[in-house]
Amino acid sequence: MSEWQLQLQNQVNTLEKLEKYIHVTDEEREAIQTIHTKWGTTPYFAGLMDPDDPDCPIRKQVVPSLKEKENRYGIENYLIYKENRATGEKRPDTIARQYHDRVAFTVMNTCAIYCRHCFRKELVVDESLKLKFDVDEGLEWIREHKEIRDVLITGGDPLLLSDEMLDYIIRKLREIPHIEMIRFGSRLPVVLPHRITKGLLKVLGGYHKVPIWLNTQCNHAKEITERTAEAVYDLMTAGIGVGNQAVLLRGINDDKKSFKELHQKLLSIRIRPYYVFYCEPAPGIDHFRTPVEKGAELIRDTLRGHTTGMAQPMYVVATNIGKIPLMPDYYITDKNDKEYILTNYKGQVTTTPNIPD
């Protein structure tokens, strides 16, 4: 059995196993014992938790909280609504759609970490939503819909599939003439970097007319280790671009120091910040949400002008009609017929000509 499979086999998903890594608080213990939910992570990622700090940013993503019982703002049946699964268009369970030319291809509901803030919580964590993961049915639907040019393979975590199954999915997608790009959404480079094996790189890598991109999710600089850096380097050496899609999470990365450190450290290991997502209104995750403006303010106050532009993600909210940017124009402070008045990150003012349409 390979190292990554041993990590999965020994997943930290019981109170007894968790107590080997942290000093469990009474509140954490009560949450684990009373909330009927799937939870857990890899021994590798559990080892990054602070054993004495319940506010550890990794620990809060892993360990269930009593706050998950509260649901003031979350939308029931959220994934049905968000992924347009109840519309008139007939699609297999594996296909979610918000755009004309691209789809999310959901191939499984298993993860290496069951993030407490997961927007697919109903499918992956609570398992109240049951989907039929028929990969061939999904491939056939994609083949029949010639407007689809871009496929995001997601889950669960699709990189938990065997190399053989991943090779099959990729090969079948590349046989479809109208497919131009394949993307994977996976936290494994962060929570289970052991999965980035020579066998997997052979499946994903190499020069192809239909390229593969991978977006991971890292929410705090503490998650970034040398093991992840090596996995990312191996992916990029194989020809796979790696981006990050962080989620803005109250008490984890919504302060200036954590937010800036995260995005600078991502670049230091060759991960390009791509999106920061506003925490979606899935049920039972109210305690992770911030005011909507918070992400834009953090980008303005900690990244734009304060560090390289490559560290600046786009701040968006994912909705049933697609992703919507949440970036107010803080920098155009005024305009007249002659010019725009612009202010930089230091508060310094300059102008640029107002060009008529």
Side-chain angles (χ1 to χ4, degrees):
M1 188 175 289
S2 65
E3 190 178 6
W4 74 270
Q5 290 170 322
L6 282 170
Q7 284 274 323
L8 283 179
Q9 189 178 70
N10 294 292
Q11 196 169 44
V12 180
N13 56 7
T14 68
L15 185 57
E16 292 70 29
K17 290 180 180 179
L18 185 65
E19 288 175 328
K20 295 177 182 178
Y21 292 88
I22 66 171
H23 300 117
V24 180
T25 67
D26 290 342
E27 184 176 314
E28 288 171 328
R29 188 181 307 275
E30 183 182 351
I32 290 168
Q33 292 173 337
T34 61
I35 298 176
H36 300 291
T37 181
K38 188 186 287 188
W39 69 278
T41 191
T42 59
Y44 161 81
F45 201 64
L48 301 180
M49 294 189 293
D50 187 321
D52 300 311
D53 183 11
D55 287 326
C56 165
I58 296 181
R59 188 162 160 172
K60 290 170 82 169
Q61 294 180 67
V62 172
V63 183
S65 166
L66 292 173
K67 293 176 182 176
E68 294 177 35
K69 294 182 177 182
E70 303 167 11
N71 188 41
R72 182 177 178 186
Y73 301 105
I75 299 171
E76 298 294 341
N77 298 315
Y78 176 67
L79 210 57
I80 297 292
Y81 157 79
K82 154 75 186 300
E83 297 190 334
N84 297 311
R85 293 181 177 275
T87 61
E89 182 182 41
K90 187 176 180 181
R91 299 190 304 270
D93 283 357
T94 51
I95 302 296
R97 189 174 197 179
Q98 283 110 18
Y99 299 98
H100 174 71
D101 68 340
R102 51 204 186 274
V103 292
F105 188 13
T106 308
V107 295
M108 66 189 309
N109 68 340
T110 304
C111 289
I113 176 175
Y114 294 95
C115 306
R116 307 322 304 164
H117 57 276
C118 181
F119 80 87
R120 287 196 174 100
K121 193 167 183 285
E122 296 152 302
L123 173 67
V124 175
V125 178
D126 297 338
E127 297 181 301
S128 57
L129 175 63
K130 304 293 184 183
L131 296 183
K132 178 185 173 187
F133 299 107
D134 189 323
V135 168
D136 287 319
E137 187 182 21
L139 287 167
E140 183 59 31
W141 186 94
I142 293 167
R143 187 177 293 109
E144 291 172 354
H145 286 75
K146 294 180 171 51
E147 74 277 13
I148 304 300
R149 51 172 293 276
D150 175 358
V151 176
L152 167 65
I153 302 173
T154 185
D157 200 306
L159 292 191
L160 291 180
L161 292 172
S162 68
D163 293 349
E164 293 75 20
M165 188 61 186
L166 288 168
D167 181 68
Y168 174 77
I169 294 171
I170 292 166
R171 185 160 36 84
K172 289 299 181 182
L173 285 172
R174 282 180 168 151
E175 289 173 1
I176 301 172
H178 51 272
I179 296 303
E180 300 173 11
M181 181 165 66
I182 298 169
R183 292 177 290 148
F184 280 86
S186 173
R187 281 207 82 176
L188 295 200
V190 175
V191 303
L192 186 59
H194 319 63
R195 178 64 181 104
I196 312 305
T197 61
K198 289 181 180 178
L200 179 65
L201 292 169
K202 187 176 180 181
V203 170
L204 299 181
Y207 177 78
H208 294 277
K209 295 293 185 181
V210 180
I212 288 176
W213 294 79
L214 188 150
N215 283 312
T216 192
Q217 182 192 148
C218 179
N219 297 316
H220 194 276
K222 191 175 179 181
E223 301 172 40
I224 299 171
T225 68
E226 187 61 28
R227 191 74 189 250
T228 287
E230 291 171 0
V232 172
Y233 181 80
D234 288 343
L235 285 164
M236 296 190 72
T237 302
I240 301 144
V242 182
N244 190 61
Q245 299 185 149
V247 183
L248 184 63
L249 298 169
R250 183 186 291 273
I252 291 175
N253 57 19
D254 65 331
D255 63 282
K256 292 180 180 180
K257 183 175 182 292
S258 296
F259 195 82
K260 186 176 183 179
E261 284 182 354
L262 167 63
H263 290 91
Q264 289 182 327
K265 197 166 183 181
L266 284 167
L267 278 185
S268 77
I269 65 162
R270 300 177 174 85
I271 298 179
R272 178 70 187 268
Y274 178 33
Y275 282 130
V276 167
F277 281 99
Y278 182 68
C279 191
E280 296 182 40
I285 59 174
D286 286 354
H287 56 294
F288 284 119
R289 289 191 206 100
T290 66
V292 170
E293 296 85 356
K294 188 68 174 180
E297 291 169 357
L298 286 166
I299 291 172
R300 177 194 65 188
D301 295 340
T302 72
L303 299 182
R304 188 166 292 168
H306 300 273
T307 190
T308 172
M310 291 178 67
Q312 296 172 26
M314 181 175 288
Y315 178 46
V316 299
V317 59
T319 77
N320 63 316
I321 56 173
K323 298 176 185 69
I324 297 175
L326 296 174
M327 292 299 295
D329 198 336
Y330 291 115
Y331 301 94
I332 300 177
T333 54
D334 203 0
K335 73 172 183 176
N336 54 47
D337 292 341
K338 180 184 176 183
E339 61 192 8
Y340 285 83
I341 315 299
L342 308 178
T343 304
N344 76 352
Y345 71 104
K346 291 182 177 179
Q348 297 167 325
V349 176
T350 189
T351 62
T352 196
N354 185 350
I355 309 301
D357 192 357

